[in-house]
Amino acid sequence: MTKLNQYQTPIFSTLKDVYAKRDIIPFHVPGHKRGKGMDKEFYDFMGPNPFSIDVTIFKMVDGLHNPKSCIKEAQELAADAYGVKKTFFAVNGTSGAIQAMIMSVVKPGEKILVPRNVHKSVSGGIILSGSVPVYMNPEVDDELGIAHGVRPEVVENMLKQNPDAKAVLIINPTYYGAATDIKKIADIVHSYDIPLIVDEAHGAHLHFHEELPISAIDAGADICCQSTHKIIGAMTQMSMLHVNSTRVDVNRIQQILSILHTTSPSYPLMASLDCARRQIATEGRELLTKTLKLARDLRAEINKIPGIFSFGKEIVGRYGIHDFDETKLSISARELGLTGFELETLLIDDYNIQVELSDFYNVLGLITLGDDEISTGKLLEALKDISKRFFGKGKKIGESVGKMPTIPESILIPREAFYSENNRIKFLESEGKICAEMIMAYPPGIPVIYPGERITKDIIMYIQNLKAAKLHVQGMEDSELEYIKIIEEEDAVYLYTEKMKNKMFAVPMNLGANKAGIEFGPEVLEEYFPDTFGEMTYIDIEKQRENFNEWSLKYKNTILNTCEKLAVAVNEAVRDGYRPITIGGDHSIALGSISGVALEKEVGVIWIDAHGDMNTDETTMSGNIHGMPLALLQGAGDRDLVNCFYEGAKIDSKNVVILGARDLDVKERDVIEELGVKVIPYDEVVHKGLDNVLDEIKDYLKIDNIHISFDVDSVDPEFAPGVSTPVRNGFTPEEMFKTFRFLFKNYSITSVDIVEYNPVNDKNEKTMNFVNDLTEFVLNPNV
């Protein structure tokens, strides 16, 4: 039940009874001055009233961007009518409202789950937000040739695969009237404590009649937008955005709408929105009862016509269809040998009837509050006549060409693809290229490929089959699809910058290497580069009582104590949403940093090092623990150290890659082989090429979250002499930056170690400058 007087129309009443009634002399825009400066033919056709209320923002008529009087009251009445916490008037259409919804819940680089068959406004919102779309396949109805909704099971499965997603967007109902189980989807999404946003463009009327599918907000959605101009009576372009949850920041939505909306909104259009709300709130049930009866009666009569078919409630229960909006009238004349496109042309050319849309099999008509027996009767008579003209002619239309290819690999997020340079090449020669266009096929109206995705052989063959079958393919610049726009790898623009906050830890440990100088690394870096290292949290090294007869585990107790303190600090940072960056010190500290991360997330490890660091107390030749942490993290070696922070192994051996090794101990190789760790020695990098090796790592590591543990001695001593255990040859700084860029682009980097910088052995500050440059990249990776 509403609490406010829904018969009021604050905007319309102010314009009509205050501004226009006073016969104001306008010295404000628009320049037509209440129609006096308007083109005469246009003015005569429109009449005087629209121009008498066509005003700009001033105190008397309020302002949309900071409403205080009539617009504020009108939005409050709309919120009351729909039973929501807050309603915004969307004067940039539902397209603008959808973009505002997306931008309000996801930031650059964050994931949002969306159906594959989204409206282009969703793609625009993803581009504007810089977010990463994770596509969900809707259910395809081969018989009807259209896509329905996304099933709850699909949403649940995709969230399990992408638990870091920040929001889920659902289209409900579809253009054709199919409604999914939105209530169940809302419950699933909320179990992850993220918002469900709904493109309810075709559902502004649902809340007002119990025989219609449940509305998004009534089902528990956090935010939705509706085209108030579609089924109910606002003028074209007018929409509403409803918020009904604390998971969405209302102030942020207002801010984003102010950015997207014009600063000169149309007052006549807003007045129509105000009055449309009054109509649906006060007369909605009665009007919709009439509308539903019209739709049902018309559908029943259409289905008596030979060769013509209109589906209805009987499709409820098919995959992706939990309910159906009967005001959506899909009409197929396939049995007459007519495509939907041909049927639309006949209706307009021969009968002066314009439908909403057509696809390969169907036309779609909307039965709205504005229809009556006269309009529906004329449509019925036209369809009867078309049946007489074409029934039994035997013309065949295209059939299905088989299953669509799987969703291709995404190389660039939509924002990056949008800003990348593109050029045209022959479509048949485009395999392996990055697509710069969207290609959509009817049926079923789902994009085969989006910009930023890699073109496959299967996609080329499928689209060739579509063309041969004369099915409708659209979206590309070349309508014949002889040529396609692509993005060359060298032209790709990577705009996504990691937005995760960083927290830096300094661990001045030298006992793992048992060499002086490493302990000064963090302090020297902070002194020379305070902007980079000035906010490090230091982990104190507290000397513990040691058993010096235990030669194979030198300084074990002090190292364990330090690593456990580091693990506690790192774990707290991860839980607070930070990416911990640990600056050493020797490589033994990785036992603490990785343990701290691994308690919260399953991580893979890229261990970039001249050494393997996979000795145990039984295989070590030196007893230095900085040669053991990677084995300990996998559960091999001294039990006290293995159980650092919490019991047992911290990482799975199949999720580990040692990159760039140049010096492995003989017995250490046995440990590596026993655990099954993948090692890519530096010689192999030279032989295969770094690009190929990085692709090999991507194919091998099937895990999203990665910890990078980087030992400076992996770099050639010519470029980084300031280490404790230098080994000849090694990576160049350029190769290291390429490696880091690749890893940040292809994985979620949870945490990073940068260790073994020894200022005592540095020459001309080469190593210090390199470590600073690399750390700056890690803190703000532009990939």
Side-chain angles (χ1 to χ4, degrees):
M1 292 292 292
T2 58
K3 299 176 182 178
L4 303 180
N5 182 358
Q6 289 295 329
Y7 288 92
Q8 294 180 333
T9 52
I11 298 174
F12 180 55
S13 296
T14 298
L15 293 170
K16 178 173 68 75
D17 299 332
V18 179
Y19 180 81
K21 197 171 187 178
R22 286 177 58 179
D23 199 23
I24 298 289
I25 299 171
F27 283 91
H28 59 74
V29 297
H32 61 68
K33 299 297 180 79
R34 302 185 69 173
K36 292 178 182 178
M38 183 60 65
D39 174 81
K40 185 176 185 306
E41 183 183 0
F42 185 71
Y43 180 87
D44 290 343
F45 178 80
M46 295 293 291
N49 287 340
F51 305 110
S52 71
I53 61 172
D54 188 16
V55 299
T56 189
I57 296 172
F58 45 79
K59 185 176 180 181
M60 184 189 302
V61 295
D62 206 1
L64 180 64
H65 292 271
N66 185 24
K68 296 178 180 177
S69 57
C70 64
I71 296 177
K72 180 175 182 287
E73 293 169 19
Q75 291 187 151
E76 289 171 350
L77 281 163
D80 179 60
Y82 281 90
V84 300
K85 293 180 179 179
K86 182 75 174 179
T87 292
F88 295 94
F89 286 178
V91 300
N92 202 22
T94 304
S95 293
I98 287 172
Q99 291 163 0
M101 288 198 306
I102 293 171
M103 294 172 70
S104 70
V105 296
V106 285
K107 299 173 184 174
E110 293 182 340
K111 291 181 182 177
I112 179 170
L113 271 59
V114 298
R116 185 73 175 172
N117 60 327
V118 291
H119 187 264
K120 65 180 181 180
S121 60
V122 175
S123 299
I126 288 169
I127 289 171
L128 288 170
S129 67
S131 57
V132 180
V134 177
Y135 293 111
M136 303 178 289
N137 278 324
E139 296 302 318
V140 175
D141 193 319
D142 291 328
E143 178 188 347
L144 301 176
I146 58 177
H148 298 312
V150 173
R151 290 186 294 130
E153 295 80 2
V154 174
V155 176
E156 186 168 30
N157 184 50
M158 293 305 292
L159 280 172
K160 285 179 180 177
Q161 294 179 41
N162 299 274
D164 55 338
K166 300 300 181 183
V168 175
L169 183 145
I170 289 291
I171 305 165
N172 195 72
T174 67
Y175 217 147
Y176 295 89
T180 187
D181 191 344
I182 193 72
K183 175 67 172 68
K184 189 172 182 180
I185 289 175
D187 292 341
I188 291 167
V189 173
H190 292 160
S191 71
Y192 286 78
D193 196 27
I194 58 175
L196 172 65
I197 64 179
V198 180
D199 171 2
E200 199 175 39
H202 303 280
H205 57 305
L206 300 182
H207 175 73
F208 299 96
H209 205 286
E210 68 279 3
E211 293 178 26
L212 290 166
I214 189 172
S215 71
I217 290 295
D218 291 337
D222 300 273
I223 180 172
C224 79
C225 56
Q226 304 164 334
S227 296
T228 319
H229 61 271
K230 282 188 163 64
I231 300 296
I232 57 181
M235 293 180 72
T236 296
Q237 192 176 313
M238 290 296 98
S239 300
M240 294 186 190
L241 188 158
H242 303 298
V243 183
N244 206 34
S245 166
T246 56
R247 292 185 184 88
V248 181
D249 186 343
V250 171
N251 292 327
R252 179 163 177 78
I253 293 171
Q254 174 72 72
Q255 181 185 38
I256 292 169
L257 284 171
S258 291
I259 292 171
L260 296 177
H261 279 172
T262 174
T263 56
S264 302
S266 167
Y267 278 79
L269 296 187
M270 285 195 291
S272 81
L273 189 59
D274 193 17
C275 293
R277 181 271 314 152
R278 174 179 63 181
Q279 181 188 42
I280 198 68
T282 60
E283 305 175 67
R285 192 182 183 284
E286 177 186 349
L287 292 170
L288 286 168
T289 297
K290 167 182 163 284
T291 302
L292 282 167
K293 184 177 186 307
L294 277 173
R296 289 164 180 165
D297 291 348
L298 177 59
R299 182 175 279 108
E301 292 301 314
I302 288 173
N303 285 328
K304 295 176 184 177
I305 302 173
I308 296 182
F309 168 69
S310 176
F311 62 82
K313 278 270 193 179
E314 75 279 357
I315 68 171
V316 173
R318 296 187 185 185
Y319 275 156
I321 308 177
H322 182 71
D323 207 343
F324 179 70
D325 177 5
E326 295 173 274
T327 67
K328 302 300 177 62
L329 189 76
S330 295
I331 304 168
S332 171
R334 289 175 66 180
E335 292 184 23
L336 300 180
L338 297 173
T339 66
F341 311 121
E342 291 168 336
L343 181 58
E344 178 185 19
T345 301
L346 280 169
L347 285 169
I348 186 61
D349 288 352
D350 296 356
Y351 304 94
N352 287 330
I353 293 173
Q354 179 61 61
V355 294
E356 173 71 9
L357 64 77
S358 61
D359 61 36
F360 192 74
Y361 293 138
N362 311 280
V363 298
L364 175 66
L366 308 184
I367 308 301
T368 78
L369 305 186
D371 277 301
D372 54 24
E373 287 84 356
I374 296 174
S375 63
T376 58
K378 287 182 177 179
L379 175 58
L380 183 63
E381 290 306 311
L383 293 173
K384 287 179 178 178
D385 191 56
I386 290 171
S387 173
K388 290 177 183 176
R389 292 168 59 184
F390 292 93
F391 187 73
K393 295 295 191 294
K395 177 187 172 186
K396 289 187 177 182
I397 62 175
E399 299 294 334
S400 172
V401 292
K403 204 171 181 184
M404 279 182 62
T406 57
I407 296 175
E409 177 189 15
S410 177
I411 306 300
L412 302 171
I413 65 172
R415 185 175 178 86
E416 293 169 339
F418 180 81
Y419 282 106
S420 294
E421 294 289 333
N422 61 72
N423 53 67
R424 286 178 19 134
I425 65 171
K426 288 186 176 180
F427 177 62
L428 292 178
E429 299 174 1
S430 65
E431 182 182 351
K433 299 294 186 180
I434 303 171
C435 190
E437 302 182 87
M438 181 189 74
I439 304 176
M440 182 183 291
Y442 286 99
I446 299 175
V448 180
I449 191 167
Y450 271 109
E453 295 176 341
R454 196 179 296 283
I455 301 168
T456 64
K457 184 178 180 180
D458 286 346
I459 287 173
I460 295 172
M461 292 176 60
Y462 179 75
I463 291 174
Q464 288 298 100
N465 289 340
L466 290 174
K467 290 173 62 181
K470 295 186 169 27
L471 297 186
H472 191 56
V473 183
Q474 70 174 41
M476 57 288 166
E477 190 174 276
D478 177 12
S479 59
E480 300 300 319
L481 204 58
E482 297 297 327
Y483 290 86
I484 188 169
K485 288 165 67 175
I486 58 96
I487 301 165
E488 298 285 2
E489 300 278 355
E490 59 268 24
D491 294 329
V493 175
Y494 296 104
L495 299 172
Y496 165 44
T497 298
E498 289 270 342
K499 295 298 181 183
M500 183 184 289
K501 297 178 291 184
N502 302 291
K503 184 165 282 190
M504 296 183 69
F505 299 96
V507 191
M509 167 71 75
N510 72 349
L511 299 178
N514 200 18
K515 288 189 178 181
I518 307 175
E519 69 273 23
F520 301 126
E523 183 180 343
V524 170
L525 290 167
E526 184 178 12
E527 178 183 352
Y528 279 86
F529 303 104
D531 290 344
T532 306
F533 299 95
E535 296 185 4
M536 290 191 296
T537 298
Y538 277 78
I539 305 298
D540 293 332
I541 312 298
E542 297 179 86
K543 293 289 183 66
Q544 306 294 304
R545 185 183 296 275
E546 303 288 356
N547 178 5
F548 289 103
N549 292 321
E550 200 172 18
W551 73 269
S552 61
L553 292 167
K554 295 175 182 175
Y555 303 103
K556 166 186 162 179
N557 295 333
T558 302
I559 291 170
L560 179 58
N561 176 265
T562 303
C563 286
E564 289 191 327
K565 287 195 294 184
L566 175 60
V568 169
V570 164
N571 182 259
E572 182 179 343
V574 171
R575 284 189 284 110
D576 288 343
Y578 290 91
R579 175 189 291 127
I581 312 298
T582 304
I583 306 297
D586 67 60
H587 218 157
S588 66
I589 65 176
L591 177 62
S593 61
I594 296 176
S595 295
V597 176
L599 185 62
E600 298 301 318
K601 301 180 178 182
E602 182 184 9
V603 292
V605 173
I606 305 286
W607 196 271
I608 306 174
D609 199 328
H611 308 89
D613 293 349
M614 282 194 60
N615 272 300
T616 69
D617 52 319
E618 294 180 351
T619 66
T620 180
M621 292 187 290
S622 66
N624 294 327
I625 293 176
H626 80 148
M628 305 179 192
L630 188 52
L632 294 167
L633 287 160
Q634 296 170 75
D638 178 77
R639 299 320 299 168
D640 293 334
L641 291 170
V642 165
N643 293 332
C644 174
F645 191 44
Y646 64 93
E647 289 189 8
K650 311 304 188 284
I651 51 178
D652 191 320
S653 299
K654 73 175 185 293
N655 295 330
V656 178
V657 172
I658 299 173
L659 176 63
R662 309 195 298 281
D663 185 10
L664 298 176
D665 295 344
V666 174
K667 291 184 177 180
E668 182 182 29
R669 294 176 187 270
D670 295 336
V671 179
I672 291 171
E673 185 175 349
E674 182 180 344
L675 290 175
V677 171
K678 182 176 181 63
V679 180
I680 305 178
Y682 181 72
D683 287 348
E684 193 171 324
V685 176
V686 173
H687 177 70
K688 294 181 176 178
L690 181 59
D691 289 337
N692 291 328
V693 165
L694 293 175
D695 286 338
E696 183 180 329
I697 290 172
K698 184 180 176 184
D699 291 339
Y700 176 78
L701 279 182
K702 301 301 182 184
I703 189 167
D704 291 332
N705 297 319
I706 294 291
H707 173 100
I708 303 174
S709 200
F710 172 71
D711 190 319
V712 182
D713 69 20
S714 62
V715 176
D716 191 319
E718 178 186 346
F719 305 106
V723 297
S724 290
T725 315
V727 182
R728 290 180 58 192
N729 300 320
F731 294 106
T732 65
E734 290 75 19
E735 289 174 324
M736 212 69 268
F737 278 103
K738 175 184 275 194
T739 300
F740 269 69
R741 277 193 295 270
F742 179 91
L743 296 176
F744 270 87
K745 179 180 183 298
N746 289 284
Y747 296 97
S748 174
I749 304 302
T750 61
S751 39
V752 179
D753 305 324
I754 299 176
V755 300
E756 301 274 356
Y757 162 54
N758 191 331
V760 171
N761 295 336
D762 205 4
K763 297 176 182 177
N764 299 320
E765 302 176 344
K766 285 183 180 180
T767 315
M768 180 180 69
N769 289 319
F770 165 68
V771 170
N772 175 66
D773 291 344
L774 186 65
T775 305
E776 283 187 338
F777 172 84
V778 169
L779 292 172
N780 188 24
N782 184 355
V783 295

PDB file of all heavy atoms in Angstrom, residues 531-544:
ATOM      1  N   ASP A 531      59.344   8.245  -1.410  1.00  0.00           N
ATOM      2  CA  ASP A 531      58.005   8.229  -2.006  1.00  0.00           C
ATOM      3  C   ASP A 531      57.523   6.812  -2.275  1.00  0.00           C
ATOM      4  O   ASP A 531      56.318   6.529  -2.213  1.00  0.00           O
ATOM      5  CB  ASP A 531      57.999   9.020  -3.322  1.00  0.00           C
ATOM      6  CG  ASP A 531      58.148  10.517  -3.094  1.00  0.00           C
ATOM      7  OD1 ASP A 531      57.947  10.948  -1.943  1.00  0.00           O
ATOM      8  OD2 ASP A 531      58.469  11.239  -4.060  1.00  0.00           O
ATOM      9  N   THR A 532      58.467   5.927  -2.566  1.00  0.00           N
ATOM     10  CA  THR A 532      58.098   4.540  -2.850  1.00  0.00           C
ATOM     11  C   THR A 532      58.036   3.704  -1.582  1.00  0.00           C
ATOM     12  O   THR A 532      57.088   2.942  -1.377  1.00  0.00           O
ATOM     13  CB  THR A 532      59.118   3.901  -3.812  1.00  0.00           C
ATOM     14  OG1 THR A 532      59.248   4.716  -4.980  1.00  0.00           O
ATOM     15  CG2 THR A 532      58.688   2.492  -4.212  1.00  0.00           C
ATOM     16  N   PHE A 533      59.035   3.859  -0.721  1.00  0.00           N
ATOM     17  CA  PHE A 533      59.187   2.942   0.408  1.00  0.00           C
ATOM     18  C   PHE A 533      58.915   3.598   1.769  1.00  0.00           C
ATOM     19  O   PHE A 533      59.138   2.972   2.810  1.00  0.00           O
ATOM     20  CB  PHE A 533      60.609   2.352   0.411  1.00  0.00           C
ATOM     21  CG  PHE A 533      60.933   1.564  -0.829  1.00  0.00           C
ATOM     22  CD1 PHE A 533      61.594   2.156  -1.899  1.00  0.00           C
ATOM     23  CD2 PHE A 533      60.575   0.231  -0.939  1.00  0.00           C
ATOM     24  CE1 PHE A 533      61.899   1.437  -3.042  1.00  0.00           C
ATOM     25  CE2 PHE A 533      60.874  -0.498  -2.078  1.00  0.00           C
ATOM     26  CZ  PHE A 533      61.538   0.103  -3.142  1.00  0.00           C
ATOM     27  N   GLY A 534      58.430   4.820   1.746  1.00  0.00           N
ATOM     28  CA  GLY A 534      58.310   5.579   3.001  1.00  0.00           C
ATOM     29  C   GLY A 534      57.245   5.096   3.953  1.00  0.00           C
ATOM     30  O   GLY A 534      57.243   5.494   5.126  1.00  0.00           O
ATOM     31  N   GLU A 535      56.323   4.255   3.497  1.00  0.00           N
ATOM     32  CA  GLU A 535      55.238   3.815   4.380  1.00  0.00           C
ATOM     33  C   GLU A 535      55.319   2.324   4.691  1.00  0.00           C
ATOM     34  O   GLU A 535      54.309   1.687   4.994  1.00  0.00           O
ATOM     35  CB  GLU A 535      53.887   4.157   3.742  1.00  0.00           C
ATOM     36  CG  GLU A 535      53.672   5.664   3.590  1.00  0.00           C
ATOM     37  CD  GLU A 535      52.284   5.994   3.082  1.00  0.00           C
ATOM     38  OE1 GLU A 535      51.466   5.065   2.915  1.00  0.00           O
ATOM     39  OE2 GLU A 535      52.016   7.190   2.848  1.00  0.00           O
ATOM     40  N   MET A 536      56.523   1.757   4.649  1.00  0.00           N
ATOM     41  CA  MET A 536      56.673   0.334   4.967  1.00  0.00           C
ATOM     42  C   MET A 536      56.483   0.093   6.461  1.00  0.00           C
ATOM     43  O   MET A 536      56.907   0.887   7.302  1.00  0.00           O
ATOM     44  CB  MET A 536      58.063  -0.155   4.551  1.00  0.00           C
ATOM     45  CG  MET A 536      58.272  -0.241   3.051  1.00  0.00           C
ATOM     46  SD  MET A 536      59.794  -1.119   2.589  1.00  0.00           S
ATOM     47  CE  MET A 536      61.061  -0.042   3.275  1.00  0.00           C
ATOM     48  N   THR A 537      55.845  -1.023   6.764  1.00  0.00           N
ATOM     49  CA  THR A 537      55.743  -1.492   8.143  1.00  0.00           C
ATOM     50  C   THR A 537      56.876  -2.481   8.381  1.00  0.00           C
ATOM     51  O   THR A 537      56.988  -3.495   7.679  1.00  0.00           O
ATOM     52  CB  THR A 537      54.391  -2.181   8.385  1.00  0.00           C
ATOM     53  OG1 THR A 537      53.331  -1.237   8.180  1.00  0.00           O
ATOM     54  CG2 THR A 537      54.306  -2.739   9.799  1.00  0.00           C
ATOM     55  N   TYR A 538      57.719  -2.204   9.362  1.00  0.00           N
ATOM     56  CA  TYR A 538      58.866  -3.066   9.625  1.00  0.00           C
ATOM     57  C   TYR A 538      58.474  -4.228  10.542  1.00  0.00           C
ATOM     58  O   TYR A 538      57.774  -4.042  11.542  1.00  0.00           O
ATOM     59  CB  TYR A 538      60.008  -2.271  10.248  1.00  0.00           C
ATOM     60  CG  TYR A 538      60.855  -1.543   9.233  1.00  0.00           C
ATOM     61  CD1 TYR A 538      60.413  -0.362   8.655  1.00  0.00           C
ATOM     62  CD2 TYR A 538      62.082  -2.061   8.836  1.00  0.00           C
ATOM     63  CE1 TYR A 538      61.168   0.301   7.704  1.00  0.00           C
ATOM     64  CE2 TYR A 538      62.866  -1.406   7.886  1.00  0.00           C
ATOM     65  CZ  TYR A 538      62.398  -0.228   7.327  1.00  0.00           C
ATOM     66  OH  TYR A 538      63.174   0.421   6.392  1.00  0.00           O
ATOM     67  N   ILE A 539      58.924  -5.411  10.165  1.00  0.00           N
ATOM     68  CA  ILE A 539      58.772  -6.594  11.020  1.00  0.00           C
ATOM     69  C   ILE A 539      60.085  -6.762  11.790  1.00  0.00           C
ATOM     70  O   ILE A 539      61.151  -6.985  11.195  1.00  0.00           O
ATOM     71  CB  ILE A 539      58.489  -7.860  10.179  1.00  0.00           C
ATOM     72  CG1 ILE A 539      57.266  -7.654   9.279  1.00  0.00           C
ATOM     73  CG2 ILE A 539      58.310  -9.068  11.087  1.00  0.00           C
ATOM     74  CD1 ILE A 539      55.975  -7.400   9.998  1.00  0.00           C
ATOM     75  N   ASP A 540      60.023  -6.623  13.105  1.00  0.00           N
ATOM     76  CA  ASP A 540      61.237  -6.686  13.924  1.00  0.00           C
ATOM     77  C   ASP A 540      61.825  -8.090  13.925  1.00  0.00           C
ATOM     78  O   ASP A 540      61.103  -9.095  13.953  1.00  0.00           O
ATOM     79  CB  ASP A 540      60.936  -6.278  15.370  1.00  0.00           C
ATOM     80  CG  ASP A 540      60.558  -4.807  15.468  1.00  0.00           C
ATOM     81  OD1 ASP A 540      61.015  -4.026  14.611  1.00  0.00           O
ATOM     82  OD2 ASP A 540      59.807  -4.454  16.399  1.00  0.00           O
ATOM     83  N   ILE A 541      63.145  -8.134  13.913  1.00  0.00           N
ATOM     84  CA  ILE A 541      63.868  -9.406  14.005  1.00  0.00           C
ATOM     85  C   ILE A 541      64.278  -9.584  15.466  1.00  0.00           C
ATOM     86  O   ILE A 541      65.174  -8.893  15.972  1.00  0.00           O
ATOM     87  CB  ILE A 541      65.115  -9.431  13.109  1.00  0.00           C
ATOM     88  CG1 ILE A 541      64.784  -8.924  11.692  1.00  0.00           C
ATOM     89  CG2 ILE A 541      65.708 -10.836  13.074  1.00  0.00           C
ATOM     90  CD1 ILE A 541      63.771  -9.742  10.947  1.00  0.00           C
ATOM     91  N   GLU A 542      63.632 -10.476  16.180  1.00  0.00           N
ATOM     92  CA  GLU A 542      63.935 -10.718  17.591  1.00  0.00           C
ATOM     93  C   GLU A 542      64.718 -12.019  17.702  1.00  0.00           C
ATOM     94  O   GLU A 542      64.202 -13.098  17.410  1.00  0.00           O
ATOM     95  CB  GLU A 542      62.640 -10.816  18.404  1.00  0.00           C
ATOM     96  CG  GLU A 542      61.819  -9.536  18.410  1.00  0.00           C
ATOM     97  CD  GLU A 542      60.533  -9.707  19.215  1.00  0.00           C
ATOM     98  OE1 GLU A 542      60.583  -9.506  20.440  1.00  0.00           O
ATOM     99  OE2 GLU A 542      59.501 -10.058  18.613  1.00  0.00           O
ATOM    100  N   LYS A 543      65.948 -11.911  18.131  1.00  0.00           N
ATOM    101  CA  LYS A 543      66.806 -13.085  18.223  1.00  0.00           C
ATOM    102  C   LYS A 543      66.245 -14.076  19.242  1.00  0.00           C
ATOM    103  O   LYS A 543      65.881 -13.700  20.357  1.00  0.00           O
ATOM    104  CB  LYS A 543      68.219 -12.688  18.618  1.00  0.00           C
ATOM    105  CG  LYS A 543      68.969 -11.864  17.577  1.00  0.00           C
ATOM    106  CD  LYS A 543      69.332 -12.709  16.380  1.00  0.00           C
ATOM    107  CE  LYS A 543      70.148 -11.924  15.346  1.00  0.00           C
ATOM    108  NZ  LYS A 543      71.471 -11.535  15.820  1.00  0.00           N
ATOM    109  N   GLN A 544      66.153 -15.337  18.839  1.00  0.00           N
ATOM    110  CA  GLN A 544      65.660 -16.406  19.703  1.00  0.00           C
ATOM    111  C   GLN A 544      66.823 -17.305  20.122  1.00  0.00           C
ATOM    112  O   GLN A 544      67.901 -17.289  19.525  1.00  0.00           O
ATOM    113  CB  GLN A 544      64.609 -17.239  18.951  1.00  0.00           C
ATOM    114  CG  GLN A 544      63.455 -16.420  18.362  1.00  0.00           C
ATOM    115  CD  GLN A 544      62.589 -15.790  19.425  1.00  0.00           C
ATOM    116  OE1 GLN A 544      62.068 -16.485  20.297  1.00  0.00           O
ATOM    117  NE2 GLN A 544      62.430 -14.463  19.370  1.00  0.00           N
TER     118      GLN A 544
END
